[in-house]
Amino acid sequence: MKLPAAYYHSSDVVALSKELIGKYLFTCIDGLKTGGYIVETEAYNGIIDKASHAYGNRQTPRTQTMFGLGGVAYVYLCYGIHEMFNIVTSVEGQPHAILVRAIQPTEGLDVMLQRRNMLAEKPNITSGPGSVAKALGISRKINAFSLTGDDIWLEDNGLVIPDESIAAVPRVGVSYAAEDALLPYRFYVKGNPYVSKPNK
């Protein structure tokens, strides 16, 4: 069942980030459907979060998407190479976002292999946010697209990951965020092979 627009309007980005573990993410790009269920996320808590692009209410052409009503895709380029897919959440003017860091593929594996230039499936096919976007055909072309449309959407298919199987740890690569770098805003399924940086 496709998640409704209202699902994304919660102002608790951290709780939502954890809740998205086990939800399915699908794309239909150029008529090709690909997807899987989310096994790793990171929450970015808007203007008060030093790790967020919108920290200090920073509004630029790039961050504008984050300031809209939740339920759209925020896709940006990282290091000039990787497209990164985020889910914008909360209400207008509150720029919350959740980075999808890893999924476990369930649909369109052959298409994902082609997009990733891989001959056989290995966990790194959708491990890490750059890999997720590439495998699912996500690019900045779909920035600001609704997550309730036919190009990119999320579903609740009844998969429940028990609380004790979800780790809550600091985010990856945000050392510039001073004390906010230590916040346990990254969630992942313990022991899942697709998780990008399993904390031993």
Side-chain angles (χ1 to χ4, degrees):
M1 192 177 79
K2 205 180 266 194
L3 293 175
Y7 179 86
Y8 303 102
H9 300 165
S10 160
S11 61
D12 190 339
V13 70
V14 179
L16 203 56
S17 191
K18 185 178 180 185
E19 211 179 287
L20 283 169
I21 300 287
K23 300 289 188 286
Y24 284 73
L25 170 63
F26 291 109
T27 58
C28 188
I29 309 286
D30 302 325
L32 301 168
K33 187 179 174 189
T34 51
Y37 64 88
I38 297 170
V39 295
E40 185 183 1
T41 60
E42 280 181 349
Y44 287 87
N45 194 20
I47 61 174
I48 59 165
D49 182 351
K50 289 179 180 156
S52 168
H53 289 171
Y55 174 63
N57 214 28
R58 189 161 56 235
Q59 299 196 38
T60 65
R62 177 169 89 156
T63 64
Q64 215 46 56
T65 307
M66 296 172 77
F67 283 87
L69 183 62
V72 298
Y74 170 46
V75 187
Y76 67 89
L77 195 64
C78 185
Y79 304 130
I81 322 167
H82 304 293
E83 311 264 7
M84 309 282 246
F85 165 65
N86 298 257
I87 294 162
V88 176
T89 64
S90 196
V91 295
E92 208 165 321
Q94 192 168 45
H96 289 176
I98 296 166
L99 176 66
V100 176
R101 286 194 58 90
I103 68 165
Q104 179 153 338
T106 58
E107 185 146 353
L109 191 61
D110 50 337
V111 178
M112 292 192 210
L113 286 168
Q114 211 175 345
R115 285 176 181 154
R116 294 276 288 118
N117 296 320
M118 292 168 71
L119 296 172
E121 188 199 348
K122 296 191 191 98
N124 67 345
I125 188 168
T126 49
S127 171
S131 302
V132 170
K134 200 163 182 198
L136 296 183
I138 296 171
S139 71
R140 282 162 296 162
K141 287 183 193 149
I142 64 163
N143 182 53
F145 276 34
S146 167
L147 296 177
T148 57
D150 298 325
D151 302 286
I152 183 164
W153 69 93
L154 282 87
E155 292 182 13
D156 183 342
N157 291 332
L159 176 64
V160 178
I161 312 271
D163 254 14
E164 59 273 17
S165 299
I166 300 174
V169 297
R171 293 168 291 190
V172 175
V174 294
S175 51
Y176 57 84
E179 68 278 7
D180 287 357
L182 304 173
L183 293 166
Y185 283 1
R186 175 174 163 242
F187 301 95
Y188 68 83
V189 179
K190 294 175 188 171
N192 185 284
Y194 294 90
V195 169
S196 64
K197 287 187 174 16
N199 292 28
K200 297 284 180 264

